Amino acid sequence: MTTETFDWLPALIPFSDYDGKWAKYCESLYSIFRRDFVTSKPIYPSKRFGMKRYPEYDGKEATFWHLISEGKDEEERVPDMRRCERIAWPKPIIEAIASDSVRVWKNARGRNVRVLLAVEDFSYVVVLDEREDFVLLWTAYYVEYANKRRRMKEEYESWTKKNGA
C-alpha cells in the first residue's frame, strides 16, 4: 500500500516545492502545525488535548520539532523529510480515531501510557501520551521498514486481542 491510497489524508508537502530553502519550508510546516495544534486543537474522545511546549527551540514548541525531526538528544535532532512532508497528517489521524482507517492501541513507556494511532498499513504512526485528565501529542513518524511495520501490526493485534477491542 502506498501513500496514494490514503485519499482521506492531506497531500504530502515536499521540500522540492520550496526551491531547497529550508527556512522557507520550515516556516510553512510550522504554519500548518500552528493551524492544527495551536489555533485549533484536534477533538480527542473524553480528554483535553495538549502538546509538549518546552523546550522551545527557535521559538517553536518541542512537539513541532518532534513531528518534523528525529534524534534522542533534543538539541541535536535532525530534520526527517518523511516526517516533514506529512506534517498535516497527525490532526486528521487523531480525529479519525474511531474510524476503520486508523489502528489504535496502547503500550507502556515507563510510567506513561502511550496511545498509538497508525494508518492501515502501519507506515505512519502518531504517538500520544495519555495522562489522567488530558492527552499530549508526543510525536509522529513514518515507518520505513517492512519488518518494523509488521512488528507494529503484531503489537496492535496482540493488544486488541488482549483488550477485546
Side-chain angles (χ1 to χ4, degrees), residues 5-124:
T5 62
F6 301 128
D7 58 357
W8 62 278
L9 290 171
L12 299 180
I13 303 162
F15 181 56
S16 59
D17 287 356
Y18 293 82
D19 302 319
K21 294 181 171 71
W22 171 252
K24 185 177 175 184
Y25 186 52
C26 187
E27 287 307 314
S28 179
L29 299 176
Y30 187 63
S31 71
I32 294 166
F33 170 80
R34 285 196 54 80
R35 176 197 71 202
D36 289 353
F37 298 105
V38 178
T39 305
S40 69
K41 295 184 187 291
I43 296 167
Y44 186 83
S46 71
K47 290 196 180 197
R48 184 174 56 85
F49 191 88
M51 67 178 156
K52 185 178 176 197
R53 185 168 179 86
Y54 299 102
E56 283 189 1
Y57 175 74
D58 199 22
K60 296 171 177 64
E61 297 83 352
T63 297
F64 170 71
W65 296 111
H66 276 253
L67 293 178
I68 70 159
S69 63
E70 62 183 345
K72 294 190 186 302
D73 185 350
E74 291 291 331
E75 295 175 7
E76 294 183 15
R77 293 181 68 88
V78 295
D80 177 331
M81 291 305 155
R82 289 196 168 145
R83 289 182 184 210
C84 290
E85 63 192 10
R86 290 166 177 80
I87 189 71
W89 285 22
K91 185 175 183 178
I93 289 172
I94 293 164
E95 291 184 335
I97 196 168
S99 77
D100 290 338
S101 299
V102 178
R103 306 297 176 252
V104 182
W105 73 104
K106 295 180 181 182
N107 67 22
R109 293 288 187 255
R111 299 178 316 149
N112 299 333
V113 175
R114 298 284 165 89
V115 179
L116 290 89
L117 313 174
V119 294
E120 297 163 317
D121 70 350
F122 296 88
S123 64
Y124 187 78

Side-chain angles (χ1 to χ4, degrees), residues 126-145:
V126 176
V127 180
L128 306 174
D129 191 26
E130 194 169 63
R131 306 290 173 91
E132 190 173 328
D133 298 328
F134 61 97
V135 65
L136 292 173
L137 173 58
W138 202 255
T139 193
Y141 56 92
Y142 178 77
V143 181
E144 184 173 1
Y145 299 107

